[in-house]
């Protein structure tokens, strides 16, 4: 076991630590494009924006 001393405190490494598996991130182009299209359609239907209780028309 390894012991680290820092400012008078002893920190011991834990040999039973759990190693998390690596996660590979993927880019789902079709999902991203359809999400943007849905948001764009919603903005066209409701062109008013509300910020801190004040409505703005786009």
């Amino acid at each position: 076991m390894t012991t680290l001393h820092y400012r008078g405190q002893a920190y011991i490494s834990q040999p039973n630590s759990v190693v998390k598996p690596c996660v590979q991130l993927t880019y789902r182009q079709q999902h991203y494009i359809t999400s943007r299209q849905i948001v764009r359609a919603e903005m066209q239907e409701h062109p008013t924006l509300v910020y801190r209780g004040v409505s703005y028309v786009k």
Side-chain angles (χ1 to χ4, degrees):
M1 270 199 292
T2 306
T3 304
L4 171 69
H5 293 279
Y6 179 71
R7 293 189 178 187
Q9 296 287 332
Y11 298 92
I12 301 172
S13 66
Q14 302 206 0
N16 297 334
S17 62
V18 177
V19 178
K20 294 182 180 179
C22 294
V23 177
Q24 182 177 0
L25 301 177
T26 58
Y27 173 71
R28 298 179 184 161
Q29 181 179 7
Q30 188 60 35
H31 176 71
Y32 178 74
I33 292 172
T34 55
S35 296
R36 287 185 57 114
Q37 289 172 349
I38 291 169
V39 170
R40 186 177 297 129
E42 288 176 355
M43 288 300 292
Q44 289 175 356
E45 292 174 10
H46 308 286
T48 57
L49 303 173
V50 178
Y51 177 71
R52 293 187 179 182
V54 180
S55 295
Y56 297 93
V57 178
K58 184 176 178 182

